[in-house]
Amino acid sequence: MTGAVPTPLPDWLTAARRITVLTGAGVSTDSGIPDYRGPDGVWTRDPDAEKLVTLCYYLADPEIRRRSWLMRRDLQAADPRPNAGHAALVDLERQGRLRALVTQNIDGLHQAAGSGPDRVLEIHGTVHEVLCTSCGDRTPMRAALDRVEAGEPDPACLVCGGVLKSATIYFGQLLEERVVEAAVAAAADCDVFLAVGTSLTVHPAAGLVEVAVRNGARVVVVNAEPTPYDDVADLVVHEPIGTALPRLVAAG
Ligand SMILES: [Zn+2]
């Protein structure tokens, strides 16, 4: 089935008790956070911007780091707020039906909306923490941005002097194995896998759909554009996320 959220909802959806959700950029666009890979995405329009999040360029070029710190400062200053899509997933958790919330987003808006930090698996990391590329020291982003605002254009690690970056996964960087394993386990152990606002073209996120299908889960895709997994989905919804999600997760 493709298009609108069906009324009434299918029984298998209202009866689902272990729903694993995967969210992508589309969930945060209503909060004013740009989609990087979409048709009008930042990287689609300006491929050079991708260098800002490519590890080898970042480590080699102080100018790229300075630009990155200014970008992080601007992002924090914009103070994005969670939207109706985030809130719907908090409701799902309160109903006791959320197995896990896997997200490709790095904005922390699920936790800001009220999703339990123990349910959220940030496979691409978070902008709210800073990581030293030499010693692995982790510190709050706020503290590093305070140093930028105090006049350090490229603050170094206070422990070892190494290069600091946001605790997000850059191109050329491995994902955190522990987080990916937890996401795969949640995809394998759900009765419904709900992919929202993601193009399902980036691994390992895309592979989670396959894991879910192999383990007998129903699949729901909510996305503005077609995805490579629409054919295997039991339900494909093209409605805006902010209105579709609250209806899809309405208690059965
Ligand atoms: Zn360090």
Side-chain angles (χ1 to χ4, degrees):
M1 211 186 310
T2 300
V5 176
T7 319
L9 292 173
D11 289 343
W12 53 262
L13 183 53
T14 51
R17 289 294 170 266
R18 292 192 327 281
I19 302 179
T20 290
V21 181
L22 168 67
T23 63
V27 174
S28 288
T29 45
D30 282 350
S31 296
I33 294 173
D35 176 359
Y36 286 91
R37 295 175 199 269
D40 195 36
V42 175
W43 295 337
T44 315
R45 282 180 288 127
D46 176 14
D48 214 35
E50 203 167 310
K51 281 190 181 175
L52 290 173
V53 290
T54 301
L55 192 62
C56 58
Y57 293 116
Y58 185 86
L59 290 176
D61 188 347
E63 184 51 35
I64 284 185
R65 296 202 291 275
R66 283 193 284 273
R67 278 177 64 193
S68 297
W69 283 111
L70 295 178
M71 206 172 65
R72 291 166 193 146
R73 185 198 61 186
D74 293 346
L75 180 70
Q76 208 90 351
D79 194 19
R81 298 298 164 94
N83 61 58
H86 297 104
L89 297 175
V90 176
D91 287 343
L92 187 65
E93 184 175 345
R94 290 193 181 136
Q95 294 165 18
R97 301 201 295 150
L98 179 69
R99 167 65 176 80
L101 176 42
V102 183
T103 185
Q104 297 170 276
N105 299 336
I106 56 177
D107 50 43
L109 288 179
H110 287 302
Q111 296 94 322
S115 286
D118 55 328
R119 291 300 161 94
V120 181
L121 297 168
E122 296 173 304
I123 49 177
H124 292 167
T126 174
V127 289
H128 294 290
E129 284 183 82
V130 163
L131 189 68
C132 174
T133 56
S134 296
C135 74
D137 189 49
R138 274 179 107 97
T139 47
M141 175 61 77
R142 187 64 260 165
L145 290 179
D146 285 347
R147 292 172 63 193
V148 173
E149 268 152 30
E152 287 183 73
D154 177 23
C157 175
L158 292 173
V159 177
C160 76
V163 170
L164 294 181
K165 64 185 279 296
S166 64
T168 54
I169 306 295
Y170 278 27
F171 292 107
Q173 221 186 341
L174 295 174
L175 303 181
E176 269 190 61
E177 211 172 319
R178 179 185 55 82
V179 180
V180 174
E181 280 170 6
V184 170
D189 173 42
C190 64
D191 38 28
V192 168
F193 188 89
L194 171 58
V196 193
T198 165
S199 59
L200 295 175
T201 52
V202 182
H203 281 272
L208 295 177
V209 183
E210 290 164 22
V211 171
V213 168
R214 259 204 316 275
N215 286 276
R218 301 270 194 166
V219 172
V220 181
V221 172
V222 185
N223 200 47
E225 311 286 325
T227 81
Y229 292 93
D230 290 3
D231 289 347
V232 300
D234 298 273
L235 178 62
V236 177
V237 173
H238 294 303
E239 275 183 58
I241 292 165
T243 54
L245 256 195
R247 290 167 58 202
L248 282 170
V249 308

